[in-house]
Amino acid sequence: MRKLMFAAASVAMMALVGPAAAQSPIVIKFSHVVAPNTPKGLAAEKFKELAEKYTAGKVKVEVYPNSQLYKDKEELEALQLGAVQMLAPSNSKFGPIGVREFEVFDLPYILSDLPTLRKVTDGPLGTKLLRLLDAKGMTGLAYWDNGFKIMSANKKLVTPADYKGLKFRIQSSKVLDAQFRALGAIPQVMAFSEVYQALQTGVVDGQENTPSNMYTQKMHEVQKFTTVTNHGYLGYVVIVNKKFWDDLPAERRAELDKAMKEATAFGNGLSAKENEDALAEMQKSGKTELVKLTPEQDAAMRKAMEPVYGDVANRVGKPLIEEFLKETKATN
Ligand code: LMR
C-alpha cells in the first residue's frame, strides 16, 4: 500500500512538474526607459506579440517600460549581467560601456531625414557598428527609430546666443556635451527618468529630446518654450545578452529574428507620425509655446554647431565620421 501511494504520488508529481517544466517558456525581460505609447514602447509591444506568436508561446516576452526596472546606465549593466535579456538604449548611451562609435549618430545635423538614416543603418556601416557590441557581451539585433530632437527651456531659444549660460540635460554622450558647449551652454548628464523633475525644480534650465519623449513625460508642461530645431537624431540599438542569444535553440532564434524584423518595420513605420502627433498635442495643450526658426535662424544654429565635428573627431573617430557622411550622401 505504501509502495502504491508512493508510486501514485510520483505519477502525480510527474504530471505536475515533468511536462510543466518541459513546457516552461523561455523568458525575455525587455527593459526600457520610455512610456509605452512612444515609438520604442510600441515597437517593444509589437515584438512581444510577434515573438510569442511565432514561437507558439515557447518564448515569453515581459516588457518593462518607464525605467520600472532600471535607469539608463543600470539597464546596460543589467543586460551584461544577464538580469534582463533585451534592451533598446539610444545611440547616445553606449559611451559609458566603452563603445563610443554610436555617438556618430549624435552629431548635429548629420541626418536630414529618415530615408538618409536608413542608408546607414541598413547598409554595411550599420552592420559594422552592431558587431562592435559583441566584445561587450551583447548582440545588436536592429535599429529602431525615434526621430529628430527639438529644444526646450523657460526662455525663448531662437539664436545660438540664447543658449549661453543655460544648463541643459543631456544623455551620456560626449558629442551632445560638445554640442551644448558649442552653444555656450552647460551640459549635464542625467538619467531620462529624472528629467521632468529636474526641469520642474530648475536643476536644469532646458533639454533636448524628440516630441514623443517630451510629450509622454509631460516635459512641455514645465517648459515655457519649445523650439522646433530638428538639430539631431535620436534612435535606438536593440540589444540582447549575447550568451543568452547564442544559447537559444537555432529554431527559436530564427523565429525571434523574424519577429524582430517585423517589429522593426512596424515601429520605424510609425515613428514619424508619433512625433508629429506629439508635437501637435503639445501645441494644443497651450502649456508651451512652439517656436519655429526662419531659414536664417536655422542657418545660424547650424553654423554655431559646426565646430562639434572637429571637437569630437578624436573620440568618435575621424574615419568613421567620414564614412558616415559618405554613406548619407550615397545615392542608392
Ligand atoms: C533620453 O534619455 O532622452 C532618451 O534616450 C530616452 C529614450 O530611450 O528615448
Side-chain angles (χ1 to χ4, degrees), residues 77 100 114 133 160 174 314:
E77 289 160 1
R100 302 162 167 192
L114 294 177
L133 297 166
K174 291 285 188 258
N314 281 341

Side-chain angles (χ1 to χ4, degrees), residues 33-34 40 72 88 90 93 146 169 171 192 209 213 234 236:
V33 299
V34 295
K40 176 161 66 179
D72 300 336
S90 80
K93 292 187 181 160
N146 189 322
R169 176 268 171 170
Q171 305 174 74
F192 182 67
N209 222 310
N213 274 352
L234 193 157
Y236 309 106

Side-chain angles (χ1 to χ4, degrees), residues 13 36 70 73 106 167 176 196 238 265 281 290-291 302 321-322:
M13 267 187 52
Y70 301 104
K73 192 165 170 280
D106 292 333
K167 270 194 236 139
L176 300 178
Y196 173 86
V238 184
E281 288 299 326
L290 283 197
V291 181
R302 287 171 189 268
I321 298 176
E322 280 163 4

Side-chain angles (χ1 to χ4, degrees), residues 9-10 14 32 42 85 88 101 108 112 126 135 152 177 185 199 209 211 217 255 272 279 288-289 293 302-303 312 326:
S10 302
M14 284 279 289
H32 70 82
L42 294 166
Q85 288 69 40
E101 287 83 349
S112 49
S152 72
D177 184 282
L199 293 170
N209 222 310
Q217 298 298 318
E255 291 156 354
L279 197 63
T288 189
E289 183 185 326
L293 298 182
R302 287 171 189 268
K303 192 155 190 315
V312 301
K326 203 169 125 223

